[in-house]
Amino acid sequence: MKNSPVTAIIVGAGHRAMVYSKLALTDPDKLKIVGVADPNPVRRKHCMETFGFGEDMCFESAQELAEKGKLADAIINGTMDEVHIETSVPLLNCGYDMLLEKPFAVNEEEMRTLVDCAKKNNSKVMICHVLRYTPFYYGIKERIVNGEIGDIINIQTNEHVSYHHLSTSYVRGKWANSDKCHTTMLLAKCCHDLDIIMWMMADTKPVQISSFGSKYQFKPENAPEGAGTICMKDCPLVDTCIYSTKRLYIDHPDRWSFYVWDALENIENPTIEDKIALMKSDNPYARCMYKCDNNVVDHQSVLINFANGATGTHNMVGGSSEPMRRIHIVGTKGEIYGNFEESKFYVSTIDPSPDAHNGECRIEEVDLNVSGDMVGAYGGHGGGDERLAEDFVKFIQGEKPSLACTSIFDSVAGHLAVYLADESRENGGIPMKVEL
């Protein structure tokens, strides 16, 4: 007998929640969106019109929704990181299951609170570790599970955050100041990557973590001579600076539109003149890159020691010329290495046969032919977004989910690794003991 679609209510109708909810439009037999809770009336109206429910299923907050009791099977929680406790706990206590955006908590105390709440209510809570669902990382995980490179000795991951992404999200934007967003850059940007490490190393657990990093580039003393404070209003370098808002946002108005033009969402079809006016105002995205209130690091390195003696490293570097994620895993029988943006990896297995490559190994190229980190109008993440939403439906309905499915309990090790890495960084890199 065919299952009815999972009914869900969006809480926090921002970019990410709308990405996952798109499944209700592309495959309505799997998911049906029946309500929304968001303080923004424009977003509530947009959801109501997009998914076809009535005003009686529009709420201004998660708390108001919770007061109505359970009205659907699940919640798609896409709220900002720092409000996950207040938007999740009341709804889990109502009996909802939940798809919860990563990072699911901004510190260890909140993490423990949410994990305990899920346990108490026997809730199915799935965390949006969307990179697990990309053909690139999923394919690598399958090879590891099949034992093709033996036991892992070392895993290395690297993430280069492009100059325009760093500008938009971590210097001018929502995740620039940890006092306001309550997350570090490592947590906001790289909990994906730490989760990938823990997923690949699932047969063992982290026991010790150390980290170094700093805010290197974007501070007032590094501003070009004569730089203004609002690029398009008072800066003579507006046509030459690589971080000019004119060059990043007006010349590329669609690239980060869901963040940069957020203040114009009340206008149905904002013109380029509307956008130029915004870039001449006191809007956060209009500011000089070197004169913002950012306090998060722009580069950080993490070293992990595992219980079985294996090691791992992650290097995050912001301000690169292009985005890039790489992974290199060395095992007792071979290696896997690749570039996510190229959607291609290699499996190199030890083989001393004379006809092997250089008499040393066999190399298999795996070309997945999928574009990288930002695919299509909804973001894509290498094709992982819709697969994640489909897996959530299976998870809720009790069907066998995929190898990538991440319950809140599976997500603890990666989150804890981030918290401890930041604590180590803040204390000169001292090793931190991991207690899961």
Side-chain angles (χ1 to χ4, degrees), residues 16 21 23 52 115 140 164 168 230 249 327 346 362:
R16 296 309 302 159
S21 300
L23 181 64
V115 168
I140 291 173
H164 54 82
T168 304
I230 302 295
Y249 306 135
I327 189 167
Y346 299 84
R362 301 278 179 184

Side-chain angles (χ1 to χ4, degrees), residues 143 210 218 270 280 321 392 405:
R143 300 302 184 102
S210 183
F218 302 105
K280 291 182 177 180
S321 58
F392 176 62
C405 185

Side-chain angles (χ1 to χ4, degrees), residues 39-79:
N40 187 321
V42 174
R43 293 184 179 182
R44 293 197 302 272
K45 184 174 184 287
H46 175 66
C47 283
M48 185 173 64
E49 293 173 349
T50 300
F51 298 108
F53 52 81
E55 288 189 17
D56 61 317
M57 290 299 288
C58 294
F59 306 92
E60 293 188 9
S61 68
Q63 187 60 50
E64 182 187 353
L65 172 60
E67 289 170 1
K68 301 294 184 180
K70 188 177 180 184
L71 303 177
D73 299 318
I75 299 295
I76 297 176
N77 189 337
T79 57

Side-chain angles (χ1 to χ4, degrees), residues 2-108:
K2 188 176 181 180
N3 285 321
S4 299
V6 166
T7 57
I9 297 171
I10 297 170
V11 175
H15 175 66
R16 296 309 302 159
M18 295 302 287
V19 165
Y20 304 128
S21 300
K22 186 187 176 188
L23 181 64
L25 304 177
T26 60
D27 199 338
D29 288 339
K30 292 180 179 176
L31 180 67
K32 182 178 182 181
I33 303 300
V34 299
V36 62
D38 192 295
N40 187 321
V42 174
R43 293 184 179 182
R44 293 197 302 272
K45 184 174 184 287
H46 175 66
C47 283
M48 185 173 64
E49 293 173 349
T50 300
F51 298 108
F53 52 81
E55 288 189 17
D56 61 317
M57 290 299 288
C58 294
F59 306 92
E60 293 188 9
S61 68
Q63 187 60 50
E64 182 187 353
L65 172 60
E67 289 170 1
K68 301 294 184 180
K70 188 177 180 184
L71 303 177
D73 299 318
I75 299 295
I76 297 176
N77 189 337
T79 57
M80 289 294 289
D81 310 332
E82 70 273 16
V83 296
H84 282 175
I85 289 288
E86 64 188 78
T87 58
S88 298
V89 170
L91 295 169
L92 292 175
N93 287 338
C94 284
Y96 287 102
D97 293 321
M98 185 174 291
L99 181 63
L100 180 57
E101 185 57 274
K102 64 81 197 166
F104 73 81
V106 298
N107 55 51
E108 184 176 351

Side-chain angles (χ1 to χ4, degrees), residues 331-348:
T332 53
K333 296 180 181 178
E335 306 171 36
I336 299 176
Y337 51 91
N339 184 329
F340 172 67
E341 297 300 325
E342 294 176 353
S343 207
K344 183 185 295 185
F345 66 84
Y346 299 84
V347 182
S348 175

Side-chain angles (χ1 to χ4, degrees), residues 31 34 61 68 70 90 98 128 145 148 162 184 243-244 247:
L31 180 67
V34 299
S61 68
K68 301 294 184 180
K70 188 177 180 184
M98 185 174 291
C128 298
V145 170
E148 294 185 31
S162 71
T184 63
Y243 289 101
S244 156
R247 300 183 73 188

Side-chain angles (χ1 to χ4, degrees), residues 110-126:
E110 289 193 0
M111 179 192 78
R112 303 289 184 193
T113 296
L114 274 171
V115 168
D116 290 345
C117 184
K119 283 180 180 176
K120 180 189 74 173
N121 291 295
N122 196 27
S123 306
K124 291 181 177 178
V125 181
M126 182 172 148

